[in-house]
Structures are given as C-alpha cells and as structure tokens.
Amino acid sequence: MSDTDPLMTVRETAARLKRSENALRIMLTNHTAPPSAVIGGRRLFRTSDVEDYIRRAFDAATHDEGGAAAPATATENGGNTE
C-alpha cells in the first residue's frame, strides 16, 4: 500500500466484488468484508485491500476441493443466485 492508495466507496467496492451494497454491509456486520475505515462520515476501502481480499479468496478456492469453489448462496450473493 502506498500513501496515495485510491479509496473506494461502499458502492464502488460492492460493484468490484460483484455484490449488492446491502450484501457488502452484511459482510461488514459479519466481519467478512475487506478492511475499511470511516473517514468524514463515509465508509471507505483502500483499493489495494479490496484487491488483496479478492486474491486471497481465489487462493483459498484453489486449495479447497481441488480448486473448485463452492457456489455462492443467495445470502452471500446479495439475494442473487447467478
């Protein structure tokens, strides 16, 4: 991470994770979301933390059951099962 690491809003982070904003808020409540901070009354995420979160998820998936990731549940996918 650099001192100029771009910050992402909840909306931008949810879009990057292919989740709804509500699903991301649930992840925050469950402590399963990427690290974030409230700055000026807004929850923000460092771009590098979001990218690391995605990278770790793929690394974990390749170690589970021969690389096959479990399908997302409706709750994990913000109500979408696609």
Side-chain angles (χ1 to χ4, degrees), residues 1-64:
M1 181 205 71
S2 70
D3 291 336
T4 59
D5 194 5
L7 299 176
M8 299 171 66
T9 64
V10 168
R11 176 175 288 168
E12 293 166 332
T13 302
R16 179 69 182 104
L17 296 175
K18 308 286 191 227
R19 301 275 195 231
S20 68
E21 291 179 46
N22 189 51
L24 179 55
R25 288 187 176 94
I26 291 168
M27 292 169 65
L28 286 162
T29 299
N30 294 334
H31 305 285
T32 58
S36 64
V38 176
I39 301 171
R42 297 179 73 190
R43 178 148 318 264
L44 299 170
F45 300 80
R46 289 184 191 123
T47 301
S48 62
D49 287 338
V50 174
E51 295 303 320
D52 287 343
Y53 178 88
I54 294 168
R55 192 173 306 108
R56 285 192 311 271
F58 273 94
D59 289 347
T62 58
H63 290 71
D64 294 340

